[in-house]
Amino acid sequence: MDLKTWFQRLTDVTSAARTQEVLRDALPDLVEELGFDCYAYLYIQPSRTYAYSNYSPEWLKHYFDSDYTTIDPVVKTASTTLRPFTWCSGGSRHSETKEVRRFYSEAGDFGIRSGISIPIRTACRHMSMLTLASSKPSLTLDKDIDQIAAVTAVAFLHAKLEEHNAKPTAQPTFELTAKQTLCLKWSAEGKPMKSIATLENMSFATVNFHLNNARKVLDAGSLAQATALATKLGLI
């Protein structure tokens, strides 16, 4: 099957999936039809990245625990080019850092050695990307990737996952203290710091301390963003 036809198949399968469970069950077979071993859909945001994937659970956990989104050369290439591209772990090793070489080595241990990645721009200037991965050390395509077909199919997949509010396969874990959670909960209720201090018998400085640390844990740029993110993640 050629890539252009496969991207149309992806759009058809995505359109037919009425639930996220149907889509989750259909994607692995579709990926195998093209001769790849697994797939990963990454939704990348400044303060949160999550995966919808059939990669090994051990690799996904290690990936997020190690904060590999900041190291992953495939993600970096995707964010700078925003064009479909092929990649392999046996590239220009002389120009790679020790961290990148370790990343490729560890990914290879889980059978991720080459692939195709299709990044797209999503709402609020965020980026999503679909990667089809193979255990082969290199990848050769008969034709160039049809960029319009690729981006259209991945954009359709993104919209469907958003429509279903699909539960991520893996995402970073955030650990808030009891005081941080409590203060954020009050903030989500619309209470200003002065009121939180009164309600919880804390000083204003203590409330500010807990909320500021919670913001840092969540890698949020503001208290409002931290509150919204904690609510979305079900932390409060």
Side-chain angles (χ1 to χ4, degrees):
M1 183 187 302
D2 65 81
L3 270 173
K4 188 172 183 178
T5 300
W6 188 86
F7 286 126
Q8 182 59 58
R9 287 268 292 130
L10 175 60
T11 299
D12 294 342
V13 167
T14 302
S15 177
R18 297 307 178 194
T19 66
Q20 61 174 304
E21 289 76 19
V22 170
L23 184 59
R24 181 192 60 211
D25 292 341
L27 284 174
D29 291 339
L30 188 61
V31 170
E32 287 183 14
E33 284 181 23
L34 195 60
F36 288 85
D37 300 304
C38 47
Y39 73 91
Y41 168 87
L42 283 183
Y43 189 14
I44 301 167
Q45 301 180 19
S47 57
R48 181 192 181 208
T49 296
Y50 66 77
Y52 191 83
S53 171
N54 68 340
Y55 281 1
S56 160
E58 291 80 9
W59 169 244
L60 287 171
K61 183 178 187 305
H62 180 60
Y63 186 95
F64 283 107
D65 287 349
S66 302
D67 195 23
Y68 272 169
T69 53
T70 61
I71 298 172
D72 189 342
V74 178
V75 171
K76 287 187 175 182
T77 299
S79 63
T80 55
T81 64
L82 273 178
R83 295 165 63 90
F85 61 96
T86 61
W87 54 270
C88 66
S89 58
S92 303
R93 290 302 179 91
H94 66 278
S95 62
E96 293 171 359
T97 65
K98 183 178 180 180
E99 285 183 327
V100 170
R101 288 195 295 271
R102 183 180 73 247
F103 168 83
Y104 274 140
S105 175
E106 292 176 355
D109 290 340
F110 287 92
I112 303 168
R113 300 186 178 92
S114 63
I116 297 172
S117 292
I118 304 101
I120 60 169
R121 183 67 73 198
T122 53
C124 300
R125 299 185 181 180
H126 295 155
M127 184 188 80
S128 295
M129 59 184 289
L130 175 66
T131 290
L132 310 177
S134 171
S135 60
K136 298 176 182 177
S138 61
L139 182 66
T140 303
L141 300 179
D142 294 334
K143 297 181 180 179
D144 291 337
I145 301 172
D146 186 314
Q147 296 186 38
I148 294 177
V151 170
T152 300
V154 175
F156 203 92
L157 173 63
H158 172 81
K160 182 64 72 168
L161 291 172
E162 289 276 280
E163 175 188 332
H164 291 325
N165 194 24
K167 182 180 179 181
T169 309
Q171 61 185 337
T173 56
F174 300 101
E175 295 185 5
L176 298 173
T177 67
K179 294 293 186 183
Q180 289 167 0
T181 302
L182 184 61
C183 290
L184 275 177
K185 180 63 176 175
W186 279 121
S187 180
E189 295 292 329
K191 300 296 184 183
M193 284 192 283
K194 187 175 180 179
S195 297
I196 298 172
T198 301
L199 288 164
E200 295 300 329
N201 194 28
M202 299 179 189
S203 68
F204 180 89
T206 299
V207 173
N208 183 59
F209 172 79
H210 289 309
L211 287 175
N212 192 46
N213 283 338
R215 181 184 60 76
K216 290 178 181 178
V217 169
L218 295 168
D219 194 25
S222 66
L223 175 57
Q225 185 185 18
T227 302
L229 183 57
T231 301
K232 188 172 184 178
L233 294 175
L235 299 175
I236 58 176

